[in-house]
Amino acid sequence: MVDSPPEARAQTVAAPPDRRVIRAAGLLVSVLVLACVAVASLVIGAKDLSLAQVWHGLFADSGSYGDVVVGERLSRTVLGLLAGAALGLSGAVLQALTRNPLADPGLLGINAGASAAVVTAVTFLGVTSLSGYVWFAFLGAAAVGALVWFLGGSRGATPVRLALAGTAISAALYGYLQAVMITDQAALGTMRFWTVGSLSSADNGTIVQVLPFFAVGTVLALALARPLNALEMGDDTARALGAHLTRTRALAMLAATVLCGAATAACGPIVFVGLMVPHVVRSFTGPDLRWILPYATVLSPVLLLGADVLGRIVARPSELQVGIVTAVLGGPVFIHLVRRRRTAQL
């Protein structure tokens, strides 16, 4: 038996691990990080609890610990997990759909549609409870998503047309919002809280209402990874690879609208999560959406829950709403991304 050359043995020993293994390991680490942040969300609040007290409140106590952990923090944490995953997934899908790495759900007017529907329900229909206007928010988001698809050209929709239609509709709806809130103090009071974006009003009823939409949107978005990969290569290449452009774009719009609409309905319009996380994930997974989408599903709740926990710490005994924290964190990150993108184009 002849030994292989030393160079070949050295290459065999030094061969790097398969990239898929590295990505899978990174996804597992991300899940562990998410679990730690979820535990922190149960532990940290106006009154910090120990891990033993949290465990006791979850499984053995219906008294004070149970009231705090199960009655308040558990539903808040679950909603943060669901809404964060929905915002991250919808942002990643929209970035692929528009071929714009700086796109987010607000680009297509989905947040504006939800906000306009809520202020309409409060002002003209007398709806004041979260369980009441959550449906209006979702319907508003869905209606604007359909309108953007129609104005963007429907079967002839292109990334540029969709972005322009979304921007135009957003501008018109935000003008309507300002006009209504200036003339109606009740709407102003409700919208002042809702438009900030918050997890503090989470309850089991809201979660049950929006959970089916989160589930359907997540399954649909993850199933679109392969056709969206083809779509990002350009229309001609996508056709050559057998992708159905109109169907893929329509389903991607539907998935993004369902996910972002449900998250916005439950929590209010929370900015930058759908922008930051997919963009950061792409920097270490590469452009393959089969990895970007799962990573965004896991890491977006890390950002949202982490921001919520931070808001409880920095303003004790009160708290900063999570929408404020994500805006403060996301502003500098967005400026950095724009500057880096501009430098790369020069």
Side-chain angles (χ1 to χ4, degrees):
M1 182 175 179
V2 180
D3 289 338
S4 58
E7 294 81 7
R9 290 199 302 269
Q11 290 176 0
T12 302
V13 172
D18 187 84
R19 193 171 184 183
R20 288 175 296 180
V21 176
I22 296 175
R23 288 169 171 169
L27 190 59
L28 178 60
V29 171
S30 300
V31 171
L32 295 177
V33 172
L34 177 58
C36 292
V37 174
V39 171
S41 180
L42 295 175
V43 169
I44 298 173
K47 178 183 179 182
D48 289 346
L49 301 175
S50 67
L51 291 176
Q53 289 171 331
V54 169
W55 181 269
H56 197 66
L58 285 173
F59 300 107
D61 184 20
S62 60
S64 58
Y65 294 150
D67 291 341
V68 173
V69 176
V70 178
E72 299 176 14
R73 296 184 190 175
L74 182 60
S75 56
R76 183 171 184 162
T77 301
V78 171
L79 184 58
L81 291 170
L82 295 173
L87 291 172
L89 264 179
S90 62
V93 168
L94 289 176
Q95 288 175 12
L97 177 65
T98 61
R99 298 177 200 153
N100 180 359
L102 299 180
D104 76 334
L107 180 67
L108 297 186
I110 297 172
N111 288 345
S115 300
V118 169
V119 78
T120 299
V122 171
T123 303
F124 300 109
L125 301 177
V127 179
T128 57
S129 66
L130 177 63
S131 60
Y133 59 67
V134 65
W135 292 104
F136 287 93
F138 183 79
L139 290 174
V144 168
L147 183 59
V148 168
W149 175 251
F150 175 76
L151 295 178
S154 188
R155 290 183 177 274
T158 64
V160 174
R161 288 180 180 178
L162 291 174
L164 289 175
T167 301
I169 292 173
S170 293
L173 290 177
Y174 280 124
Y176 165 76
L177 279 171
Q178 296 300 320
V180 173
M181 288 192 293
I182 288 174
T183 58
D184 190 302
Q185 291 300 313
L188 178 60
T190 300
M191 292 300 294
R192 182 182 297 154
F193 175 79
W194 188 79
T195 55
V196 168
S198 174
L199 299 175
S200 60
S201 58
D203 57 47
N204 293 333
T206 301
I207 293 172
V208 170
Q209 285 179 310
V210 297
L211 184 58
F213 300 104
F214 285 134
V216 171
T218 298
V219 171
L220 181 57
L222 293 175
L224 287 171
R226 287 182 181 274
L228 283 174
N229 271 341
L231 205 64
E232 281 197 308
M233 298 179 186
D235 289 1
D236 293 337
T237 303
R239 288 192 190 95
L241 293 173
H244 193 293
L245 302 187
T246 300
R247 182 176 61 197
T248 300
R249 287 185 176 130
L251 291 176
M253 276 289 298
L254 177 62
T257 300
V258 169
L259 287 168
C260 184
T264 304
C267 310
I270 298 175
V271 297
F272 288 121
V273 175
L275 165 67
M276 286 191 292
V277 176
H279 195 87
V280 171
V281 165
R282 192 178 291 107
S283 67
F284 59 85
T285 64
D288 191 346
L289 284 160
R290 291 174 299 176
W291 289 101
I292 292 174
L293 296 181
Y295 266 96
T297 304
V298 175
L299 291 179
S300 296
V302 171
L303 174 60
L304 188 61
L305 281 178
D308 189 43
V309 171
L310 182 61
R312 301 180 213 175
I313 294 173
V314 298
R316 282 178 171 172
S318 184
E319 66 178 64
L320 287 177
Q321 303 303 327
V322 66
I324 297 174
V325 180
T326 58
V328 171
L329 295 175
V333 173
F334 181 74
I335 293 172
H336 170 71
L337 294 177
V338 171
R339 287 178 60 86
R340 190 175 70 175
R341 179 173 170 81
R342 181 180 177 186
T343 301
Q345 291 175 342
L346 292 178

